[in-house]
Every structure is written in structure tokens, then in C-alpha cells.
């Protein structure tokens, strides 16, 4: 370890110098100039400084508050009736992590959430209820539990519920990243809801199979996946195939990546989605990396150890794993399935991906809390 900067001998010899420096700093502040040496160590930390913390929001806590919100405000009044899952260490921010926003959204039978589009990209992972839809650029997509629905940046979308029961889902957006880039655009559609312009499930039927329009060669689509719905049944089926045909990854067990079929990349350039199976009794090894992730428990029970703290989870719970946070997962009692979204594509495309494996203690973190 190199020593921290100490007052130079000249400052110790001349106490007046310290006062002059302080006065200088004050003068600088008035004209919007700053001395680097006063903040150097605070900004250029030797490793990612802890800001966001690992945190878990139990569904047993979130759900009653969401139901209560349903009694207090209509979807029309709220624009979106969503409860944000805010990182406790940065409560004035918008995010569950530094880059990722997560929220639980409720839409009641008969309600509509008006059509709009915005620069943040959005994904929905359906938690409970049937009969809701998201209309994405004229494609009316009916949603069922476990489905993943995408609304890329600046694509029109509105939600509705034509079923008999409340529908709740997890929203994932790149709002904190867009906010840090000051890249925020929002536009309302002329009418509350879009008229479905396209055959139902058009994006799935045209792009979600191994058949593409002939004019659409590699790299021909935009930056986001042209497929706007990934169905629970298909994902579960692929996961089961993976389990039967491969060895589990030491850190991720059996993990699928929701791919953009046009280029093989992630769903969005800013957010990738994953679905992972932790078999009953399995316990993954700990690692950490520079991508941050929001996990949502799709099935089963278990726990994760996040920077030495054990978080027990069950179906419906959501938890945040910030940058450079040690994490390992275990399933108990039944198989567990974790859905997650991550800023991995951002870090990867910018050449910022770094990883470390937990070498001591057989790959498991000592648990402190
Ligand atoms: O459903 O379009 O949680 O625009 C935050 C902003 C959901 C949405 C959110 C949004 C939406």
C-alpha cells in the first residue's frame, strides 16, 4: 500500500500556507473551478467504491403495497401504476442498481395505461394474472406469467387488462443509465391506446422462429431484438433441454440468454436478460464482475450470498446485485428458476467487463449476516 497524501513539509513548516490553500479553494469554488487534489482519492478509488448495496425486496412486502396502490390511484391518473424498487444506499436515485431500474406494476381489469414512447428501453417479466396485454408498435401482445415482453427505446407501447383479475409484472428499464447520460425523451401518443395495426403476435411470428424475411440479412435489424415476446413455456423447455444435455456452469448452473435472433446479441444494447435453473440442492461458486444485475425469483426457493450476507428468497422476490459484488446462489427444497436482467451488454461493448472468482474456502463466501 502506498501512503495516502500527507501535508507536505512546506505546509507543516508554514501553517499560514494551509489557510492560504483553504482561501484559494473558496475563491475557486465561486468561479466554478476545483482543485483536483482535494477529491482525487475520493474519485479515483482503487476498486469500485461501494455506493449501491445488495438488497432484496420480498414479494410478500411488495405485493400488498401494490394492491393498496390499486385502491389509491387509477392507472389513468398514474400513467403507470408502478412501485419502484429503490436501492437503500441511493434512495434519491431511480435505480435498484447504478444503471438498472426495477419496479412492480399493477393493471386492474378494464384499465388502460396510455400509449407513449421514451428513450429508456423497457422489459416486463409477468409475475401474476392473465388477460393483460402490451401493445408494442401496433403489435398486441397478450401476456402470461413467466413471459418476457420487450419495448425497445422509442417504440410506442400501451398496456391494457381485458381479463377478470389484476395483473402484476416486474418492469426493468435502463432509466438510471439514460439519466446519467442526460438522454431522456418521452412522447405521448395522440390517443390513449394504439389500434392494433398488425396481425397478433406479429413480431414473434415473423422474427421469433428460424425464418426471417429474406431482405433481412445479418445486421439488418436495429440495435434491439425484433422479437418482442419470449414465452415462458419455450424458455422453460429450453432450460430443461440444457439441463439434460450439459454440465452445470460453476457460477451460473444452467443459464439461458434471451438472444436477439437477428444478430445473436442481447435483447437490448443496454440490458440483457437471462433465465437460470439452480437444481434442488445445488450451490454455485462465488464470483464478482463489473456488470450489475437485478434478479427475480420465477420459481422455487433458495438463497444467495451477496458480499458475505445471506439473502433467503422465494417465488416473486426481487434482489439487486451491484457492480463488483460477490454472489453465489443455492436452491433448497425444489429446483429454482431465476430470471435476471443485467447491464452486461453495456460493460461488454465498452470493453469494461472484469471478473474475479472467489478462490478461498472452496469457492464459497464466509457468511457474516
Ligand atoms: O410501462 O411504460 O416502470 O414508461 C416506468 C416507466 C414503466 C411503462 C415503468 C414506464 C413504464
Amino acid at each position: 500500500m502506498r501512503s495516502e497524501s500527507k501535508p507536505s513539509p512546506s505546509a507543516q513548516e508554514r501553517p499560514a500556507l494551509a489557510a492560504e490553500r483553504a482561501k484559494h479553494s473558496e475563491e475557486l469554488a465561486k468561479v466554478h473551478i476545483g482543485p483536483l487534489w482535494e477529491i482525487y482519492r475520493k474519485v479515483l478509488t482503487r476498486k469500485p467504491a461501494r455506493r449501491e448495496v445488495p438488497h432484496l425486496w420480498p414479494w410478500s412486502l411488495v405485493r400488498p403495497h401494490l394492491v393498496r396502490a390499486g385502491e389509491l390511484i387509477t392507472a389513468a391518473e398514474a400513467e403507470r401504476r408502478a412501485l419502484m424498487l429503490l436501492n437503500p444506499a441511493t434512495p434519491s436515485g431511480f435505480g435498484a442498481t447504478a444503471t438498472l431500474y426495477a419496479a412492480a406494476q399493477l393493471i386492474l381489469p378494464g384499465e388502460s395505461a396510455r400509449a407513449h414512447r421514451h428513450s429508456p428501453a423497457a422489459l416486463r417479466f409477468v409475475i401474476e394474472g392473465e388477460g393483460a396485454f402490451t401493445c408494442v408498435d401496433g403489435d398486441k401482445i397478450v401476456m402470461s406469467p413467466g413471459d418476457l415482453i420487450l419495448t425497445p427505446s422509442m417504440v410506442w407501447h400501451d398496456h391494457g387488462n381485458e381479463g377478470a383479475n389484476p395483473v402484476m409484472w416486474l418492469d426493468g428499464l435502463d432509466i438510471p443509465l439514460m439519466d446519467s447520460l442526460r438522454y431522456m425523451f418521452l412522447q405521448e401518443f395522440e390517443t390513449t391506446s394504439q389500434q392494433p395495426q398488425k396481425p397478433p403476435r406479429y413480431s414473434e411470428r415473423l422474427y421469433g422462429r428460424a425464418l426471417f424475411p429474406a431482405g433481412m440479412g445479418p445486421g439488418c435489424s436495429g440495435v434491439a431484438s425484433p422479437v418482442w415476446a419470449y414465452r415462458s413455456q419455450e424458455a422453460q423447455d429450453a432450460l430443461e433441454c440444457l439441463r439434460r444435455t450439459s454440465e452445470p456452469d460453476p457460477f451460473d448452473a444452467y443459464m439461458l440468454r434471451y438472444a436477439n435472433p437477428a444478430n445473436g446479441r442481447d435483447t437490448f444494447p443496454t440490458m440483457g436478460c437471462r433465465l437460470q435453473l439452480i437444481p434442488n440442492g445445488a450451490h454455485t461458486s462465488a464470483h464478482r464482475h463489473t456488470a450489475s444485475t437485478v434478479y427475480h425469483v420465477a420459481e422455487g426457493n433458495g438463497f444467495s450470498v451477496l458480499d458475505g450476507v445471506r439473502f433467503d428468497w422465494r417465488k416473486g422476490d426481487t434482489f439487486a446485485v451491484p457492480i463488483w459484488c460477490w454472489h453465489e446462489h443455492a436452491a433448497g427444497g425444489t429446483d429454482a428458476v431465476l430470471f435476471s436482467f443485467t447491464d452486461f451488454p453495456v460493460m461488454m461493448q465498452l470493453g469494461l467487463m472484469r471478473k474475479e472468482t472467489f478462490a478461498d474456502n472452496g469457492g464459497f463466501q464466509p457468511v457474516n449476516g
Side-chain angles (χ1 to χ4, degrees):
M1 267 286 201
R2 248 166 278 150
S3 63
E4 298 297 313
S5 53
K6 287 183 189 134
S8 68
S10 66
Q12 283 172 342
E13 285 157 19
R14 298 171 48 200
L17 182 58
E20 281 174 55
R21 284 182 182 174
K23 189 161 166 263
H24 184 218
S25 294
E26 271 170 41
E27 280 164 18
L28 288 174
K30 282 183 213 151
V31 291
H32 315 291
I33 298 173
L36 172 63
W37 57 90
E38 286 183 4
I39 56 108
Y40 187 75
R41 291 288 171 197
K42 216 160 86 185
V43 176
L44 283 99
T45 53
R46 295 186 196 278
K47 59 185 174 63
R50 171 166 305 264
R51 292 200 207 170
E52 290 74 20
V53 291
H55 190 74
L56 182 141
W57 295 267
W59 185 232
S60 62
L61 172 77
V62 176
R63 194 183 184 285
H65 281 302
L66 194 54
V67 170
R68 182 70 181 130
E71 296 162 359
L72 295 174
I73 191 162
T74 64
E77 282 175 288
E79 291 273 340
R80 296 294 186 266
R81 188 195 288 110
L83 294 181
M84 301 181 286
L85 307 183
L86 300 172
N87 195 281
T90 52
S92 61
F94 309 107
T97 77
T99 53
L100 303 169
Y101 162 106
Q105 185 168 161
L106 164 68
I107 185 152
L108 295 169
E111 284 191 322
S112 300
R114 66 168 297 151
H116 68 190
R117 61 180 185 175
H118 39 65
S119 48
L123 60 92
R124 335 272 164 201
F125 187 82
V126 183
I127 302 173
E128 66 171 73
E130 296 278 354
F133 67 86
T134 294
C135 190
V136 186
D137 196 22
D139 183 1
K140 185 171 170 180
I141 301 171
V142 173
M143 306 155 84
S144 289
D147 290 350
L148 172 68
I149 313 296
L150 304 184
T151 53
S153 177
M154 292 319 279
V155 171
W156 296 111
H157 56 280
D158 58 87
H159 313 293
N161 185 350
E162 298 173 326
N165 296 300
V167 176
M168 302 178 200
W169 63 74
L170 181 75
D171 280 324
L173 289 91
D174 51 14
I175 289 176
L177 178 66
M178 293 300 116
D179 183 61
S180 70
L181 296 171
R182 308 294 181 254
Y183 189 83
M184 204 58 75
F185 296 93
L186 166 74
Q187 195 183 1
E188 274 95 21
F189 198 64
E190 308 91 75
T191 53
T192 303
S193 307
Q194 301 169 74
Q195 278 308 115
Q197 300 285 348
K198 305 208 164 106
R201 300 167 69 124
Y202 133 91
S203 84
E204 283 165 85
R205 291 157 67 196
L206 197 51
Y207 307 115
R209 303 166 175 169
L211 291 161
F212 263 46
M216 200 169 144
C220 260
S221 78
V223 293
S225 173
V227 184
W228 295 331
Y230 297 75
R231 299 295 171 182
S232 173
Q233 196 64 53
E234 291 180 11
Q236 297 278 351
D237 189 48
L239 209 47
E240 196 50 44
C241 259
L242 185 68
R243 182 224 292 259
R244 290 203 201 162
T245 55
S246 66
E247 290 299 312
D249 180 87
F251 305 106
D252 298 320
Y254 299 100
M255 181 144 89
L256 292 176
R257 189 167 65 83
Y258 293 82
N260 172 344
N263 59 19
R265 295 184 184 215
D266 276 306
T267 44
F268 301 119
T270 51
M271 290 187 293
C273 300
R274 311 282 184 263
L275 193 71
Q276 82 196 86
L277 172 73
I278 317 285
N280 187 8
H283 188 153
T284 65
S285 299
H287 71 164
R288 65 178 175 182
H289 46 65
T290 49
S292 73
T293 307
V294 173
Y295 290 86
H296 177 81
V297 185
E299 299 293 342
N301 314 303
F303 66 88
S304 298
V305 182
L306 310 176
D307 270 353
V309 179
R310 176 172 160 155
F311 292 82
D312 287 284
W313 40 252
R314 53 190 303 171
K315 186 176 163 72
D317 294 353
T318 300
F319 59 97
V321 178
I323 183 170
W324 212 236
C325 171
W326 293 113
H327 55 284
E328 64 197 66
H329 312 297
T334 54
D335 292 345
V337 178
L338 300 176
F339 168 78
S340 60
F341 59 100
T342 168
D343 65 2
F344 172 86
V346 175
M347 305 316 263
M348 206 55 199
Q349 288 165 105
L350 298 181
L352 304 178
M353 202 58 206
R354 286 171 72 143
K355 290 182 190 181
E356 216 170 79
T357 61
F358 196 84
D360 301 340
N361 198 34
F364 303 121
Q365 302 164 74
V367 177
N368 315 312

